[in-house]
Amino acid sequence: MEKLQKTLQEWQDMLDPAQYQVCRLKGTERPFSGKYNATTADGVYHCICCNEPLFDSKTKFDAGCGWPSFYEPIADSAMIEIRDVSHGMIRTEVTCAKCDAHLGHVFPDGPPPTGLRYCINSVCLDFVPR
């Protein structure tokens, strides 16, 4: 996959302040505040920064954590996992493989068949109905 690269200024010009804070500066949105937390429609979730498909709605589930949760990405190559030791925790950050946007984190407490919970910020996503 060819990387999409822009300067921080280009990202700032393209994204709204909340998207920029989360996607480029590794922030997070408040739990239960994101527009896709309770969405159950059929479709595909894309990266807000580069439009790369990230998750199919068929893998979305209600984890009760306040962020959209998925048990697997649309393809293994869609994201990159990075060890995150910030905030006194050890977690696994997930970023978009095409543009390096921070998406959220993956945890080993999800449902079958993967046992994973991709906890993703709504502001990082664009939903395209089927």
Side-chain angles (χ1 to χ4, degrees):
M1 176 182 304
E2 188 174 328
K3 286 277 190 182
L4 174 63
Q5 295 185 356
K6 295 182 182 226
T7 66
L8 284 179
Q9 186 60 56
E10 288 172 319
W11 287 121
Q12 198 166 20
D13 292 344
M14 180 186 137
L15 302 169
D16 71 32
Q19 292 166 337
Y20 181 77
Q21 177 65 31
V22 174
C23 294
R24 307 323 306 180
L25 302 180
K26 300 182 185 238
T28 190
E29 62 192 6
R30 290 183 330 277
F32 302 101
S33 68
K35 65 181 176 178
Y36 298 127
N37 183 50
T39 300
T40 59
D42 186 33
V44 175
Y45 293 86
H46 294 251
C47 177
I48 197 70
C49 294
C50 69
N51 201 37
E52 194 68 17
L54 299 172
F55 297 99
D56 190 294
S57 64
K58 291 179 172 76
T59 67
K60 190 172 187 286
F61 68 100
D62 183 3
C65 63
W67 291 274
S69 296
F70 305 85
Y71 62 78
E72 73 181 343
I74 206 159
D76 288 340
S77 61
M79 52 198 63
I80 297 169
E81 295 185 3
I82 302 164
R83 182 182 163 109
D84 177 0
V85 294
S86 64
H87 307 291
M89 298 179 273
I90 299 174
R91 303 178 290 174
T92 302
E93 175 190 8
V94 288
T95 62
C96 176
K98 184 172 182 178
C99 71
D100 296 325
H102 169 77
L103 304 171
H105 292 85
V106 60
F107 301 96
D109 61 1
T114 65
L116 299 174
R117 174 175 54 100
Y118 288 84
C119 186
I120 307 298
N121 293 282
S122 286
V123 296
C124 302
L125 302 172
D126 183 35
F127 179 71
V128 179
R130 245 188 284 276

Coordinates of all heavy atoms in Angstrom, one line a residue, residues 37-114:
N37 N -21.1 5.5 17.8 CA -21.1 4.6 19.0 C -22.3 3.7 18.9 O -22.1 2.5 19.1 CB -21.1 5.4 20.3 CG -21.0 4.5 21.5 OD1 -20.2 3.6 21.5 ND2 -21.9 4.7 22.4
A38 N -23.5 4.2 18.6 CA -24.7 3.3 18.7 C -25.2 3.0 17.3 O -26.3 2.4 17.1 CB -25.8 4.0 19.5
T39 N -24.5 3.3 16.2 CA -24.9 3.0 14.8 C -25.0 1.5 14.6 O -24.1 0.8 14.9 CB -24.0 3.7 13.8 OG1 -24.0 5.1 14.0 CG2 -24.4 3.4 12.4
T40 N -26.1 1.1 14.0 CA -26.3 -0.3 13.7 C -26.5 -0.5 12.2 O -26.8 -1.6 11.7 CB -27.4 -0.9 14.5 OG1 -28.6 -0.2 14.2 CG2 -27.2 -0.9 16.0
A41 N -26.4 0.5 11.4 CA -26.7 0.4 9.9 C -25.7 -0.5 9.2 O -24.5 -0.6 9.7 CB -26.7 1.8 9.3
D42 N -26.0 -1.0 8.1 CA -25.2 -1.9 7.3 C -24.3 -1.0 6.4 O -24.8 -0.2 5.6 CB -26.1 -2.8 6.5 CG -25.3 -3.9 5.7 OD1 -24.2 -4.3 6.2 OD2 -25.7 -4.3 4.6
G43 N -23.0 -1.3 6.4 CA -22.1 -0.5 5.5 C -20.7 -0.7 5.9 O -20.3 -1.7 6.6
V44 N -19.8 0.2 5.5 CA -18.4 0.1 5.7 C -17.9 1.4 6.3 O -18.3 2.5 5.9 CB -17.6 -0.2 4.4 CG1 -16.1 -0.1 4.6 CG2 -18.1 -1.5 3.8
Y45 N -17.0 1.3 7.3 CA -16.4 2.4 8.0 C -15.0 2.7 7.3 O -14.2 1.8 7.2 CB -16.2 2.2 9.5 CG -17.6 2.1 10.2 CD1 -18.3 0.9 10.3 CD2 -18.1 3.2 10.8 CE1 -19.5 0.8 10.9 CE2 -19.3 3.1 11.5 CZ -20.0 1.9 11.5 OH -21.2 1.9 12.2
H46 N -14.8 3.9 6.9 CA -13.6 4.3 6.2 C -12.8 5.3 7.1 O -13.4 6.0 7.9 CB -13.9 5.0 4.9 CG -14.6 4.2 3.9 ND1 -13.9 3.7 2.7 CD2 -15.8 3.6 3.8 CE1 -14.7 3.0 2.0 NE2 -15.9 2.9 2.7
C47 N -11.5 5.4 6.8 CA -10.7 6.4 7.5 C -11.1 7.8 7.0 O -11.2 8.1 5.8 CB -9.2 6.1 7.2 SG -8.1 7.4 7.9
I48 N -11.3 8.7 8.0 CA -11.7 10.1 7.7 C -10.6 10.8 7.0 O -10.9 11.8 6.2 CB -12.2 10.8 8.9 CG1 -13.0 12.1 8.6 CG2 -11.0 11.2 9.9 CD1 -14.3 11.8 8.0
C49 N -9.4 10.4 7.2 CA -8.2 11.1 6.6 C -7.9 10.7 5.1 O -7.5 11.6 4.4 CB -7.0 10.9 7.4 SG -7.1 11.6 9.1
C50 N -8.1 9.5 4.8 CA -7.7 9.0 3.5 C -8.7 8.2 2.8 O -8.5 7.7 1.6 CB -6.4 8.2 3.6 SG -6.6 6.6 4.4
N51 N -9.9 7.9 3.4 CA -11.0 7.2 2.8 C -10.7 5.7 2.6 O -11.4 5.0 1.9 CB -11.4 7.8 1.5 CG -12.9 7.4 1.1 OD1 -13.7 7.3 2.0 ND2 -13.1 7.1 -0.1
E52 N -9.7 5.2 3.2 CA -9.3 3.7 3.2 C -10.4 3.0 4.0 O -10.7 3.3 5.1 CB -7.9 3.5 3.7 CG -7.4 2.1 3.4 CD -7.1 1.9 2.0 OE1 -7.0 2.9 1.2 OE2 -6.9 0.7 1.6
P53 N -11.0 1.9 3.4 CA -11.9 1.1 4.2 C -11.2 0.4 5.4 O -10.1 -0.2 5.2 CB -12.4 0.0 3.2 CG -11.6 0.1 2.0 CD -10.8 1.4 2.1
L54 N -11.8 0.5 6.6 CA -11.2 0.0 7.8 C -12.0 -1.2 8.4 O -11.5 -2.2 8.8 CB -11.0 1.1 8.8 CG -10.1 2.2 8.4 CD1 -10.2 3.3 9.4 CD2 -8.7 1.7 8.2
F55 N -13.3 -1.0 8.5 CA -14.2 -2.0 9.2 C -15.5 -2.2 8.5 O -16.1 -1.2 8.0 CB -14.5 -1.5 10.7 CG -13.3 -1.4 11.5 CD1 -12.7 -0.1 11.8 CD2 -12.8 -2.5 12.2 CE1 -11.6 0.0 12.6 CE2 -11.7 -2.3 13.0 CZ -11.1 -1.1 13.2
D56 N -16.0 -3.4 8.5 CA -17.3 -3.7 8.0 C -18.3 -3.7 9.1 O -17.9 -4.2 10.2 CB -17.3 -5.1 7.3 CG -18.6 -5.4 6.6 OD1 -19.6 -5.5 7.2 OD2 -18.5 -5.5 5.3
S57 N -19.5 -3.2 8.9 CA -20.4 -3.1 10.0 C -20.8 -4.4 10.6 O -21.3 -4.5 11.7 CB -21.7 -2.3 9.6 OG -22.3 -3.1 8.5
K58 N -20.6 -5.5 9.8 CA -20.9 -6.8 10.3 C -20.0 -7.3 11.4 O -20.4 -8.2 12.2 CB -20.8 -7.8 9.1 CG -21.9 -7.7 8.1 CD -21.7 -8.7 6.9 CE -22.8 -8.7 6.0 NZ -22.9 -7.6 5.1
T59 N -18.9 -6.6 11.6 CA -18.0 -6.9 12.7 C -18.2 -5.9 13.9 O -17.4 -6.0 14.9 CB -16.5 -6.9 12.3 OG1 -16.1 -5.6 11.9 CG2 -16.3 -7.9 11.1
K60 N -19.1 -5.0 13.9 CA -19.4 -4.1 14.9 C -20.2 -4.7 16.0 O -21.1 -5.5 15.7 CB -20.1 -2.8 14.4 CG -20.1 -1.7 15.3 CD -20.7 -0.4 14.6 CE -20.6 0.8 15.5 NZ -21.6 0.8 16.5
F61 N -19.9 -4.4 17.3 CA -20.7 -4.9 18.4 C -20.7 -3.9 19.5 O -19.9 -2.9 19.5 CB -20.1 -6.2 18.9 CG -18.8 -6.1 19.6 CD1 -18.7 -6.1 20.9 CD2 -17.6 -6.1 18.8 CE1 -17.4 -6.0 21.6 CE2 -16.4 -6.0 19.4 CZ -16.3 -6.0 20.8
D62 N -21.7 -4.0 20.4 CA -21.8 -3.1 21.5 C -21.0 -3.6 22.7 O -21.4 -4.5 23.4 CB -23.3 -2.9 21.9 CG -23.5 -1.9 23.0 OD1 -22.5 -1.3 23.5 OD2 -24.7 -1.8 23.5
A63 N -19.9 -3.0 22.9 CA -19.0 -3.4 24.0 C -19.3 -2.6 25.3 O -18.8 -3.0 26.4 CB -17.5 -3.1 23.6
G64 N -20.2 -1.6 25.2 CA -20.6 -0.9 26.4 C -19.5 0.1 26.9 O -19.6 0.6 27.9
C65 N -18.5 0.3 26.1 CA -17.3 1.1 26.5 C -17.5 2.6 26.1 O -16.7 3.4 26.6 CB -16.0 0.5 25.9 SG -15.9 0.5 24.1
G66 N -18.4 2.9 25.2 CA -18.6 4.3 24.8 C -18.0 4.7 23.5 O -18.1 5.8 23.1
W67 N -17.3 3.7 22.9 CA -16.7 4.0 21.6 C -17.2 2.9 20.6 O -17.4 1.7 21.1 CB -15.2 4.0 21.6 CG -14.6 5.1 22.4 CD1 -14.3 6.4 21.8 CD2 -14.2 5.2 23.7 NE1 -13.8 7.2 22.8 CE2 -13.7 6.5 24.0 CE3 -14.3 4.3 24.8 CZ2 -13.3 6.9 25.2 CZ3 -13.9 4.7 26.0 CH2 -13.4 6.0 26.2
P68 N -17.2 3.2 19.3 CA -17.5 2.1 18.4 C -16.5 1.0 18.5 O -15.3 1.2 18.6 CB -17.4 2.8 17.0 CG -17.6 4.2 17.3 CD -17.0 4.4 18.6
S69 N -17.0 -0.3 18.6 CA -16.2 -1.4 18.8 C -16.4 -2.5 17.7 O -17.5 -2.7 17.3 CB -16.4 -2.1 20.1 OG -16.1 -1.2 21.2
F70 N -15.3 -3.0 17.2 CA -15.3 -4.0 16.1 C -14.4 -5.2 16.5 O -13.5 -5.0 17.3 CB -14.7 -3.4 14.8 CG -15.4 -2.2 14.4 CD1 -15.0 -0.9 14.9 CD2 -16.5 -2.2 13.5 CE1 -15.7 0.3 14.5 CE2 -17.1 -1.0 13.1 CZ -16.7 0.2 13.6
Y71 N -14.8 -6.4 16.1 CA -13.9 -7.5 16.4 C -12.9 -7.9 15.4 O -12.0 -8.7 15.7 CB -14.7 -8.8 16.8 CG -15.6 -9.4 15.8 CD1 -15.1 -10.2 14.7 CD2 -17.0 -9.2 15.8 CE1 -16.0 -10.7 13.8 CE2 -17.9 -9.7 14.9 CZ -17.3 -10.5 13.9 OH -18.2 -11.0 12.9
E72 N -12.9 -7.2 14.2 CA -11.8 -7.4 13.3 C -11.8 -6.3 12.2 O -12.9 -5.8 11.9 CB -11.8 -8.8 12.6 CG -12.9 -9.0 11.6 CD -12.8 -10.4 11.0 OE1 -11.8 -11.1 11.2 OE2 -13.8 -10.9 10.5
P73 N -10.7 -5.9 11.7 CA -10.6 -5.0 10.6 C -11.1 -5.6 9.3 O -11.2 -6.8 9.2 CB -9.2 -4.5 10.5 CG -8.4 -5.7 11.1 CD -9.3 -6.3 12.1
I74 N -11.4 -4.8 8.3 CA -11.8 -5.3 7.0 C -10.7 -6.1 6.4 O -11.0 -7.0 5.6 CB -12.3 -4.1 6.1 CG1 -13.3 -4.6 5.1 CG2 -11.1 -3.3 5.5 CD1 -14.2 -3.5 4.6
A75 N -9.5 -5.8 6.6 CA -8.3 -6.6 6.2 C -7.2 -6.4 7.2 O -7.1 -5.3 7.8 CB -7.9 -6.1 4.8
D76 N -6.4 -7.4 7.3 CA -5.2 -7.3 8.2 C -4.3 -6.2 7.8 O -3.7 -5.6 8.7 CB -4.4 -8.6 8.3 CG -5.2 -9.7 9.0 OD1 -6.1 -9.4 9.8 OD2 -4.9 -10.9 8.8
S77 N -4.3 -5.9 6.6 CA -3.4 -4.9 6.1 C -3.9 -3.4 6.2 O -3.3 -2.5 5.9 CB -3.1 -5.1 4.6 OG -4.3 -5.1 3.8
A78 N -5.1 -3.3 6.7 CA -5.8 -2.0 6.9 C -5.2 -1.1 8.0 O -5.3 0.1 7.9 CB -7.3 -2.2 7.1
M79 N -4.6 -1.8 9.0 CA -4.1 -1.0 10.1 C -2.8 -1.5 10.6 O -2.4 -2.7 10.3 CB -5.1 -0.8 11.2 CG -5.7 -2.0 11.7 SD -7.2 -1.6 12.6 CE -8.2 -0.9 11.4
I80 N -2.1 -0.7 11.4 CA -0.8 -1.0 12.0 C -1.0 -1.0 13.5 O -1.7 -0.1 14.0 CB 0.3 0.0 11.5 CG1 0.5 -0.1 10.0 CG2 1.6 -0.2 12.3 CD1 1.3 1.0 9.5
E81 N -0.4 -2.0 14.2 CA -0.5 -2.0 15.6 C 0.8 -1.5 16.2 O 1.9 -1.9 15.7 CB -0.8 -3.4 16.1 CG -2.2 -3.9 15.7 CD -2.5 -5.3 16.2 OE1 -1.7 -5.9 17.0 OE2 -3.6 -5.8 15.9
I82 N 0.7 -0.7 17.2 CA 1.9 0.0 17.8 C 1.8 -0.1 19.4 O 0.7 0.2 19.9 CB 2.0 1.5 17.4 CG1 2.1 1.6 15.9 CG2 3.2 2.1 18.1 CD1 1.8 3.0 15.4
R83 N 2.8 -0.6 20.0 CA 2.8 -0.6 21.5 C 2.7 0.8 22.0 O 3.5 1.7 21.7 CB 4.1 -1.3 22.0 CG 4.2 -1.5 23.5 CD 5.5 -2.1 23.9 NE 5.7 -1.9 25.3 CZ 5.7 -2.9 26.2 NH1 5.4 -4.1 25.8 NH2 6.0 -2.6 27.5
D84 N 1.8 1.0 23.0 CA 1.5 2.3 23.5 C 1.6 2.2 25.1 O 0.9 1.5 25.7 CB 0.1 2.7 23.2 CG -0.4 4.1 23.8 OD1 0.4 4.7 24.5 OD2 -1.5 4.5 23.5
V85 N 2.6 2.9 25.6 CA 2.8 2.9 27.1 C 2.5 4.2 27.7 O 3.0 4.5 28.8 CB 4.3 2.5 27.4 CG1 4.5 1.0 27.0 CG2 5.3 3.4 26.8
S86 N 1.7 5.0 27.0 CA 1.3 6.3 27.6 C 0.3 6.2 28.7 O -0.4 5.1 28.8 CB 0.7 7.2 26.5 OG -0.5 6.7 26.0
H87 N 0.1 7.2 29.5 CA -0.9 7.3 30.6 C -0.8 6.2 31.6 O -1.7 5.8 32.2 CB -2.3 7.3 30.0 CG -2.5 8.4 28.9 ND1 -2.5 9.7 29.2 CD2 -2.6 8.3 27.6 CE1 -2.7 10.4 28.1 NE2 -2.8 9.6 27.1
G88 N 0.5 5.7 31.8 CA 0.7 4.6 32.8 C 0.1 3.3 32.5 O -0.1 2.5 33.4
M89 N -0.3 3.0 31.2 CA -0.9 1.8 30.8 C 0.0 1.2 29.7 O 0.7 1.9 29.0 CB -2.3 2.0 30.3 CG -3.2 2.6 31.3 SD -4.9 2.8 30.5 CE -4.7 4.5 29.9
I90 N -0.2 -0.1 29.5 CA 0.4 -0.8 28.3 C -0.8 -1.2 27.4 O -1.6 -2.0 27.8 CB 1.2 -2.0 28.7 CG1 2.4 -1.5 29.6 CG2 1.7 -2.7 27.5 CD1 3.2 -2.7 30.2
R91 N -0.9 -0.6 26.2 CA -2.0 -0.9 25.3 C -1.4 -1.1 23.9 O -0.2 -0.8 23.7 CB -3.0 0.3 25.3 CG -3.5 0.6 26.6 CD -4.5 1.8 26.6 NE -3.7 3.0 26.3 CZ -4.3 4.2 26.1 NH1 -5.6 4.3 26.1 NH2 -3.6 5.3 25.9
T92 N -2.3 -1.4 23.0 CA -1.9 -1.5 21.6 C -2.7 -0.5 20.8 O -3.9 -0.6 20.7 CB -2.1 -2.9 21.0 OG1 -1.4 -3.9 21.8 CG2 -1.7 -3.1 19.6
E93 N -2.0 0.5 20.3 CA -2.6 1.5 19.5 C -2.8 1.0 18.1 O -2.0 0.2 17.6 CB -1.7 2.8 19.4 CG -2.2 3.8 18.5 CD -1.2 4.9 18.2 OE1 0.0 4.8 18.6 OE2 -1.5 5.9 17.6
V94 N -3.9 1.4 17.4 CA -4.1 1.0 16.0 C -4.1 2.3 15.2 O -4.8 3.3 15.6 CB -5.3 0.2 15.7 CG1 -5.1 -1.2 16.3 CG2 -6.6 0.8 16.3
T95 N -3.4 2.3 14.1 CA -3.4 3.4 13.1 C -3.7 3.0 11.7 O -3.5 1.8 11.4 CB -2.0 4.1 13.1 OG1 -1.0 3.2 12.6 CG2 -1.5 4.6 14.5
C96 N -4.2 3.9 10.9 CA -4.5 3.5 9.5 C -3.2 3.2 8.8 O -2.2 4.0 8.9 CB -5.2 4.7 8.9 SG -5.5 4.5 7.1
A97 N -3.1 2.1 8.1 CA -1.9 1.7 7.4 C -1.6 2.7 6.3 O -0.4 2.8 5.9 CB -2.1 0.3 6.9
K98 N -2.6 3.3 5.7 CA -2.3 4.2 4.5 C -1.8 5.6 4.9 O -1.0 6.1 4.3 CB -3.6 4.3 3.7 CG -3.4 5.1 2.4 CD -4.5 5.0 1.5 CE -4.3 5.8 0.2 NZ -5.4 5.7 -0.8
C99 N -2.4 6.1 6.0 CA -2.1 7.5 6.3 C -1.6 7.7 7.7 O -1.3 8.9 8.1 CB -3.3 8.4 6.1 SG -4.6 8.2 7.2
D100 N -1.4 6.7 8.5 CA -0.9 6.7 9.9 C -1.9 7.5 10.8 O -1.4 7.9 11.9 CB 0.5 7.3 9.9 CG 1.5 6.5 9.2 OD1 1.4 5.2 9.3 OD2 2.4 7.0 8.6
A101 N -3.1 7.7 10.5 CA -4.0 8.3 11.4 C -4.2 7.4 12.7 O -4.4 6.2 12.6 CB -5.4 8.5 10.8
H102 N -4.2 8.1 13.8 CA -4.5 7.4 15.1 C -6.0 7.1 15.1 O -6.8 8.0 14.8 CB -4.2 8.2 16.3 CG -4.7 7.7 17.6 ND1 -4.1 6.7 18.2 CD2 -5.8 8.1 18.3 CE1 -4.8 6.4 19.3 NE2 -5.8 7.3 19.4
L103 N -6.4 5.8 15.3 CA -7.8 5.4 15.3 C -8.3 5.1 16.7 O -9.4 5.4 17.0 CB -7.9 4.2 14.4 CG -7.5 4.3 12.9 CD1 -7.5 2.9 12.2 CD2 -8.3 5.3 12.2
G104 N -7.5 4.4 17.5 CA -7.9 4.0 18.8 C -6.9 2.9 19.3 O -5.7 3.0 19.0
H105 N -7.5 1.9 20.0 CA -6.7 0.8 20.5 C -7.4 -0.5 20.3 O -8.6 -0.5 20.1 CB -6.5 1.1 22.0 CG -5.6 2.2 22.3 ND1 -6.1 3.5 22.4 CD2 -4.2 2.3 22.5 CE1 -5.1 4.3 22.6 NE2 -4.0 3.6 22.7
V106 N -6.6 -1.6 20.4 CA -7.2 -2.9 20.3 C -6.9 -3.6 21.6 O -5.8 -3.5 22.2 CB -6.7 -3.7 19.1 CG1 -5.2 -3.9 19.1 CG2 -7.4 -5.1 18.9
F107 N -7.9 -4.3 22.1 CA -7.8 -5.1 23.4 C -8.2 -6.5 23.2 O -9.0 -6.8 22.4 CB -8.8 -4.4 24.4 CG -8.5 -3.0 24.7 CD1 -9.2 -2.0 24.0 CD2 -7.5 -2.6 25.6 CE1 -8.9 -0.6 24.2 CE2 -7.2 -1.2 25.8 CZ -7.9 -0.3 25.1
P108 N -7.7 -7.4 24.1 CA -7.9 -8.8 23.9 C -9.2 -9.3 24.7 O -9.2 -10.4 25.2 CB -6.7 -9.5 24.5 CG -6.2 -8.5 25.5 CD -6.6 -7.2 25.0
D109 N -10.2 -8.5 24.7 CA -11.4 -8.8 25.5 C -12.7 -8.8 24.6 O -13.8 -8.5 25.1 CB -11.6 -7.9 26.7 CG -11.7 -6.4 26.3 OD1 -11.7 -6.1 25.1 OD2 -11.8 -5.6 27.3
G110 N -12.6 -9.0 23.3 CA -13.7 -9.0 22.4 C -14.4 -10.3 22.3 O -14.0 -11.3 22.9
P111 N -15.4 -10.4 21.5 CA -16.2 -11.6 21.3 C -15.6 -12.5 20.3 O -14.6 -12.1 19.5 CB -17.5 -11.0 20.7 CG -17.1 -9.8 19.9 CD -16.0 -9.2 20.7
P112 N -16.1 -13.7 20.2 CA -15.6 -14.6 19.1 C -16.0 -14.0 17.7 O -16.9 -13.2 17.7 CB -16.4 -15.9 19.3 CG -16.8 -15.8 20.8 CD -17.0 -14.4 21.1
P113 N -15.4 -14.3 16.7 CA -14.4 -15.4 16.6 C -13.0 -14.9 16.9 O -12.1 -15.8 17.0 CB -14.5 -15.8 15.1 CG -14.9 -14.6 14.4 CD -15.8 -13.8 15.3
T114 N -12.7 -13.6 17.0 CA -11.3 -13.2 17.2 C -10.9 -13.0 18.6 O -9.7 -13.0 19.0 CB -11.1 -11.8 16.4 OG1 -11.9 -10.8 17.0 CG2 -11.4 -12.0 14.9

